[in-house]
């Protein structure tokens, strides 16, 4: 089958975010199974090196990737600060020229992210050419994540994105919660749940410390608690710091690490908070990590914490499970299977609840050992990319069959 994936940033972007790993993971797995995958990705300022320009085409692990710039709408050039800060764009003219010359022998077009300005043109193109159209939201349509622009985003969804949803042959949800969100915005549209996956065997390969992680290696066997995400308030970095501060008052044998891609200077604010609480000897702050450094830090940690208040389906949780970390997260991570299978803890979105969970897992090694064994079994049985790709292929085959028989 031939797939066309539409996404935001993609490899080799110099940022570390879930959609890069989840979209590339699925694309590469489909290619390994004999399918053809083309990815059209957005060129976002600062995300790539200077050699990646508009129209650049690369073969990455067998995936054909082409990049186009996004541009602000004319009305966003008005001297209104709120308008300038909205992450809503239009595609450069070269994208539409490329689309108009694109062969129509694709089987599935899949918009891999909500709010992409390329979703509209591609959904129309797929419908016109009787090609199956899929839509992933990856948490972006959940009102809990709208923040200060909530009203604008709700209006935008009703006027723009809902039309795209109604053109889809399948809305692809990462979790049951996302399925409910889809039903709210596009009642009656067919929804299939296909979660993210991981290459489990890759995460088992033993990583070695580098210069970036040398300070962690120097800690020896001291238990480590890890927060590893984007520096975004939704991911709870300040709650994590406060939880570590509470834990320090009752338990001394541990240290904590924070690492991830910075957003809007929030990393610096976290460092200031750590300094205010006198936690510099307890919490180490590292930059965004990729490759072997990313694997090393997860393999080194005893506990992985994600105090999230809004999630699609966390790649980092799956990676932590594959590396035998004990996971502590919230209901908003949309992963009830953790507690259903004894593979992690789901606690209230409160610093004290996280501190309590950390203390339990640090002082009860048998409990933690059982949890990581269950987590490894769960991720192997349900979330390896081979199984996820099989689910995705089945849905694609169904949609293609429906279009042929219509």
């Amino acid at each position: 089958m031939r797939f066309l994936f539409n996404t935001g940033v993609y490899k080799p972007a110099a940022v570390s975010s879930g959609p890069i790993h989840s979209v590339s993971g699925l694309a590469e797995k489909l290619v390994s199974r004999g399918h053809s995958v083309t990815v059209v990705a957005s060129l976002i300022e600062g995300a790539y090196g200077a050699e990646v320009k508009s129209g650049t085409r690369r073969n990455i692990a067998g995936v054909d990737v082409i990049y186009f710039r996004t541009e602000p709408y004319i009305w966003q050039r008005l001297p209104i600060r709120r308008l300038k800060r909205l992450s809503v764009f239009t595609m450069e003219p070269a994208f539409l020229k490329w689309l108009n010359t694109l062969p129509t022998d694709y089987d599935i077009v899949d918009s891999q992210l909500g709010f992409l300005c390329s979703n509209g043109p591609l959904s129309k193109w797929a419908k016109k050419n009787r090609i199956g159209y899929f839509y992933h939201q990856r948490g972006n349509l959940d009102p809990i994540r709208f923040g200060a622009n909530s009203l604008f985003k709700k209006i935008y969804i009703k006027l723009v994105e809902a039309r795209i949803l109604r053109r889809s042959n399948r809305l692809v949800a990462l979790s049951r919660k996302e399925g409910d969100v889809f039903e709210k915005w596009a009642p009656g549209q067919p929804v299939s749940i296909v979660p993210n996956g991981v290459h489990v065997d890759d995460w088992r390969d033993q990583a070695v410390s580098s210069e970036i992680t040398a300070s962690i290696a120097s800690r020896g066997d001291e238990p480590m608690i890890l927060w590893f995400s984007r520096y975004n308030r939704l991911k709870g970095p300040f709650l994590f710091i406060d939880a570590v501060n509470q834990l320090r008052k009752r338990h001394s044998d541990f240290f904590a690490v924070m690492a991830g891609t910075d957003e809007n200077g929030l990393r610096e604010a976290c460092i200031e908070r750590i300094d205010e609480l006198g936690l510099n000897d307890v919490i180490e702050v590292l930059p965004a990590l990729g490759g072997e450094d990313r694997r090393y830090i997860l393999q080194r940690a005893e506990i992985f914490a994600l105090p999230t208040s809004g999630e699609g389906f966390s790649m980092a949780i799956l990676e932590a499970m594959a590396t035998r970390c004990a996971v502590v997260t919230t209901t908003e991570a949309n992963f009830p299977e953790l507690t259903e299978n004894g593979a992690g803890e789901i606690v209230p979105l409160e610093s004290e609840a996280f501190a309590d969970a950390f203390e339990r897992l640090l002082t009860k090694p048998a409990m933690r050992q059982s949890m990581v064994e269950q987590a490894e079994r769960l991720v192997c049985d349900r979330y390896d990319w081979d199984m996820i790709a099989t689910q995705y292929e089945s849905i694609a085959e169904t949609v293609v069959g429906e279009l042929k028989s219509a």
Side-chain angles (χ1 to χ4, degrees), residues 5 7-10 39-43 48 65-69 91:
F5 283 6
T7 191
V9 292
Y10 193 81
V39 171
V40 55
S42 299
L43 275 176
Y48 302 88
V65 188
I66 185 167
Y67 307 85
F68 290 103
R69 285 195 318 273
M91 295 300 294

Side-chain angles (χ1 to χ4, degrees), residues 172-243:
V172 184
L174 298 176
S175 65
R176 302 170 206 166
K177 170 71 178 298
E178 277 199 356
D180 294 339
V181 172
F182 271 136
E183 179 63 25
K184 173 183 177 180
W185 296 116
Q189 284 295 102
V191 177
S192 294
I193 297 177
V194 182
N196 289 329
V198 289
H199 298 289
V200 175
D201 288 340
D202 291 350
W203 290 96
R204 287 173 170 161
D205 291 342
Q206 193 61 43
V208 296
S209 174
S210 71
E211 185 177 345
I212 297 175
T213 58
S215 60
I216 296 172
S218 69
R219 294 269 192 164
D221 295 330
E222 189 178 3
M224 173 179 146
I225 305 172
L226 175 64
W227 180 93
F228 188 15
S229 189
R230 289 179 292 117
Y231 281 92
N232 183 302
R233 291 186 184 275
L234 282 171
K235 306 292 185 177
F238 295 106
L239 188 151
F240 177 77
I241 294 168
D242 290 344

Side-chain angles (χ1 to χ4, degrees), residues 154-303:
K154 288 176 181 178
I155 294 171
Y156 186 88
I157 291 174
K158 288 183 178 180
L159 295 180
V160 179
E161 215 72 6
R163 296 182 182 182
I164 301 171
L165 299 179
R166 289 193 292 269
R167 288 187 205 116
S168 67
N169 299 95
R170 196 67 93 244
L171 301 175
V172 184
L174 298 176
S175 65
R176 302 170 206 166
K177 170 71 178 298
E178 277 199 356
D180 294 339
V181 172
F182 271 136
E183 179 63 25
K184 173 183 177 180
W185 296 116
Q189 284 295 102
V191 177
S192 294
I193 297 177
V194 182
N196 289 329
V198 289
H199 298 289
V200 175
D201 288 340
D202 291 350
W203 290 96
R204 287 173 170 161
D205 291 342
Q206 193 61 43
V208 296
S209 174
S210 71
E211 185 177 345
I212 297 175
T213 58
S215 60
I216 296 172
S218 69
R219 294 269 192 164
D221 295 330
E222 189 178 3
M224 173 179 146
I225 305 172
L226 175 64
W227 180 93
F228 188 15
S229 189
R230 289 179 292 117
Y231 281 92
N232 183 302
R233 291 186 184 275
L234 282 171
K235 306 292 185 177
F238 295 106
L239 188 151
F240 177 77
I241 294 168
D242 290 344
V244 170
N245 186 45
Q246 292 183 42
L247 179 64
R248 179 188 61 164
K249 297 173 183 177
R250 33 180 148 139
H251 190 89
S252 59
D253 184 24
F254 78 97
F255 74 106
V257 171
M258 299 183 73
T261 303
D262 197 9
E263 289 192 0
N264 304 316
L266 205 58
R267 180 174 180 268
E268 189 59 37
C270 287
I271 292 173
E272 291 176 4
R273 177 66 174 162
I274 291 167
D275 186 57
E276 287 171 7
L277 294 172
L279 293 173
N280 293 298
D281 60 334
V282 180
I283 302 179
E284 289 199 38
V285 179
L286 299 180
L289 301 174
E292 187 151 353
D293 287 327
R294 183 182 180 92
R295 195 166 76 251
Y296 174 81
I297 199 172
L298 282 162
Q299 290 176 347
R300 174 62 182 80
E302 274 72 34
I303 300 171

Side-chain angles (χ1 to χ4, degrees), residues 15 52 134 137 155 185 201 239 280 322 348 351 383 394:
V15 295
V52 182
F134 288 4
Q137 59 166 297
I155 294 171
W185 296 116
D201 288 340
L239 188 151
N280 293 298
S351 57
Y383 298 104
S394 176

